[in-house]
């Protein structure tokens, strides 16, 4: 059931599902008016039956990834933010682009009556430097939309987050805000698209410091893999903004039932939260190597992505 990422003419073929009740999940993609499907017998993409033959397309030049991510962040804000919204912002270089654009629109009067809920202390300082209206999470009745990055995005738009800088500092704060928001939009480059969660690195798990070794042993009983406490440059355990430790879980292979794995991890006594975000993401905005920007949404997995 796990689909790899396939490329055609260096454009991303994004992890979307074409499913029947009995058939496998197959990635699909529309390019130049042609719908391509993955053919297991060829181990390659081919035009869907009954369509014209594929056009020959010149190999695109590799675009500047930073510029494409910046454009993806701007498009995400333009696409999902409206006047009067309460907007959550995560952390990371891509979210810096999003917050920069948000602030520019606000200062130009193109966004009105908006409120920013920063997930981390660093994001709060950045928002304050822009003069944006900020309110703590506890002081707002609800959050309309959140923007954040992700370390991995699977074919069902499930996520791994919290891996940056060996776990980052926000930890459970991201999940608290994003799990209660009306929507979560992640902005990523195509290298973050994976066939299964945990493929490219560890899954961060935030735990209370007291008895963390016992917590780790209990967590490992329900996963196929290994784990350890994440250490800082001083050799001491990393500490989150909430004063907790971070564990790093390395999955040995794809989890057949990722929802059950996530439930086991987060249901273990001593665990505050994990970097697994299952059924939580509204949409992923993807910056491709060729300079294009794609979107795919949880509510529209059966259809190809489109350029935005």
């Amino acid at each position: 059931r796990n689909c790899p990422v396939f490329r055609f003419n260096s454009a991303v073929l994004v992890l979307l599902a074409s499913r029947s009740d009995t058939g496998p999940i197959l990635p699909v993609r529309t390019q130049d008016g042609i719908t391509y499907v993955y053919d297991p017998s060829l181990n390659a993409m081919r035009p869907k039956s009954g369509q014209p033959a594929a056009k020959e397309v010149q190999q695109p030049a590799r675009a500047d990834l930073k510029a494409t991510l910046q454009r993806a962040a701007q498009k995400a804000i333009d696409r999902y933010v409206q006047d009067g919204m309460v907007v959550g912002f995560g952390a990371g270089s891509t979210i810096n682009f999003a917050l920069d654009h948000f602030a520019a629109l606000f200062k130009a009067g193109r966004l009105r009556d908006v409120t920013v809920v920063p997930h981390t202390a660093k994001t709060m300082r950045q928002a304050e430097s822009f003069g944006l209206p900020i309110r703590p999470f506890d002081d707002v009745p609800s959050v309309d939309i959140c923007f954040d990055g992700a370390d991995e995005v699977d074919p069902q738009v499930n996520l791994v987050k919290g891996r940056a800088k060996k776990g980052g500092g926000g930890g459970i704060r991201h999940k608290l805000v994003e799990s209660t928001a009306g929507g979560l939009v992640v902005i990523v480059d195509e290298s973050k698209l994976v066939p299964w969660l945990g493929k490219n690195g560890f899954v961060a798990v935030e735990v209370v410091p007291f008895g963390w070794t016992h917590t780790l042993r209990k967590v490992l009983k329900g996963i196929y893999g290994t784990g350890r406490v994440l250490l800082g440059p001083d050799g001491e355990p990393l500490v989150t903004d909430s004063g907790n430790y971070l564990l790093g879980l390395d999955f040995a292979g794809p989890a057949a039932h990722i929802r059950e794995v996530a439930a086991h991890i987060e249901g273990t006594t001593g665990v505050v939260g994990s970097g697994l975000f299952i059924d939580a993401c509204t949409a992923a905005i993807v910056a491709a190597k060729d300079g294009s920007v794609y979107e795919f949404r949880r509510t529209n997995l059966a259809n190809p992505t489109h350029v935005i």
Side-chain angles (χ1 to χ4, degrees):
R1 288 183 173 272
N2 296 298
C3 298
V5 176
F6 298 91
R7 292 181 175 83
F8 186 84
N9 293 320
S10 296
V12 64
L13 296 172
V14 184
L15 300 175
L16 294 177
S18 176
R19 183 201 297 265
S20 68
D21 291 338
T22 58
I25 297 176
L26 300 176
V28 295
R29 164 70 192 281
T30 296
Q31 179 176 309
D32 297 326
I34 307 296
T35 297
Y36 296 86
V37 297
Y38 175 66
D39 187 333
S41 65
L42 300 175
N43 192 28
M45 302 300 290
R46 63 166 176 78
K48 187 176 180 180
S49 301
Q51 298 185 112
K55 300 177 182 179
E56 289 293 329
V57 181
Q58 186 177 1
Q59 184 81 354
R62 183 182 179 91
D64 179 78
L65 181 57
K66 183 177 180 180
T68 307
L69 277 169
Q70 183 174 17
R71 192 156 50 86
Q74 293 170 349
K75 286 178 176 289
I77 296 297
D78 292 342
R79 195 170 182 82
Y80 284 97
V81 177
Q82 300 176 6
D83 291 345
M85 279 189 166
V86 177
V87 184
F89 285 93
S93 58
T94 303
I95 297 307
N96 292 343
F97 291 142
L99 194 55
D100 287 348
H101 185 58
F102 182 93
L105 295 176
F106 176 77
K107 291 177 180 179
R110 294 170 59 188
L111 280 179
R112 297 180 175 87
D113 301 320
V114 290
T115 301
V116 172
V117 176
H119 300 188
T120 69
K122 183 176 180 180
T123 304
M124 178 174 287
R125 289 193 296 270
Q126 183 183 6
E128 288 174 341
S129 72
F130 290 141
L132 293 171
I134 300 169
R135 292 183 68 185
F137 180 46
D138 286 330
D139 290 353
V140 297
S142 63
V143 177
D144 295 298
I145 190 79
C146 286
F147 296 94
D148 210 347
D151 298 301
E152 294 182 351
V153 183
D154 81 356
Q156 304 304 316
V157 207
N158 297 314
L159 314 173
V160 169
K161 289 164 40 61
R163 189 182 296 157
K165 296 182 180 178
K166 291 190 175 181
I172 192 61
R173 295 187 180 192
H174 294 290
K175 182 160 282 188
L176 282 171
V177 180
E178 292 165 7
S179 65
T180 57
L184 168 61
V185 177
V186 296
I187 307 160
V188 298
D189 67 82
E190 63 180 351
S191 70
K192 305 300 176 63
L193 305 177
V194 296
W196 50 273
L197 298 182
K199 180 180 184 297
N200 289 342
F202 67 84
V203 173
V205 178
E206 186 167 354
V207 299
V208 295
F210 181 76
W212 71 263
T213 57
H214 299 278
T215 302
L216 175 57
R217 282 195 288 269
K218 288 185 288 185
V219 166
L220 292 178
K221 290 180 180 179
I223 72 165
Y224 180 48
T226 59
R228 76 277 189 196
V229 68
L230 300 178
L231 302 177
D234 58 359
E236 295 297 318
L238 283 173
V239 178
T240 69
D241 287 350
S242 301
N244 297 312
Y245 287 176
L246 285 166
L247 307 179
L249 303 182
D250 296 296
F251 293 168
H257 306 286
I258 191 63
R259 288 169 181 81
E260 287 82 352
V261 170
H264 162 73
I265 293 171
E266 300 200 1
T268 300
T269 302
V271 170
V272 179
S274 81
L276 292 171
F277 285 66
I278 310 300
D279 300 327
C281 184
T282 304
I285 309 295
V286 183
K289 291 179 181 178
D290 64 0
S292 59
V293 176
Y294 295 88
E295 177 191 47
F296 63 109
R297 296 174 57 89
R298 172 168 297 281
T299 57
N300 202 26
L301 287 176
N303 294 320
T305 58
H306 58 279
V307 178
I308 61 174

